[in-house]
Amino acid sequence: MSEKSKYIPLKELIIYKLARQLSAKAWLIYQRLGYHQRKTWGDQMLEAIDSVGANIAEGYARYHFLERIRFYYISRASLSEGMDHWIDLGFERGIVAKEEQVAMFSIAKNLQIKLNGQIKTTYEAKKDLG
């Protein structure tokens, strides 16, 4: 039997750190928007991207494996909404600069890979118990 893994605090969890980096970049974009752009595009973009980290946090705090995984799936869907729709749309409309888009997509790609790994690891941990 393998040694029991050590608990990692949420703020040290790589997927959570990446989600917070993405949120910080989204916040910088949001802050420079005028009222109309905030209400039509910015609020939804920021909500989608901020919910990535929020769902990781909620899932990580859940006791049951399947509940954890469900929140990780929601986080992954929010990542897709925020990046593949809102940030991409913002770039098309001239709200998001190319450098911002590239930097955010780099973080998002890394986050998605690691989030998929977290889902797989959680499934495997459930199988190991029983």
Side-chain angles (χ1 to χ4, degrees), residues 65 68 120-130:
F65 294 102
R68 285 183 189 175
K120 182 180 177 187
T121 300
T122 305
Y123 267 122
E124 289 171 356
K126 181 187 182 312
K127 289 178 191 174
D128 289 346
L129 289 178

Side-chain angles (χ1 to χ4, degrees), residues 2-41:
S2 65
E3 187 179 319
K4 191 172 182 176
S5 60
K6 181 183 167 200
Y7 174 78
I8 300 169
L10 175 67
K11 289 188 177 188
E12 293 177 20
L13 195 65
I14 292 171
I15 57 173
Y16 185 71
K17 286 180 176 183
L18 290 169
R20 292 291 297 262
Q21 288 175 16
L22 208 55
S23 285
K25 292 194 177 299
W27 181 249
L28 291 174
I29 294 167
Y30 184 83
Q31 284 183 307
R32 70 170 182 255
L33 300 177
Y35 178 80
H36 180 69
Q37 282 184 328
R38 281 185 180 190
K39 295 301 158 204
T40 58
W41 177 84

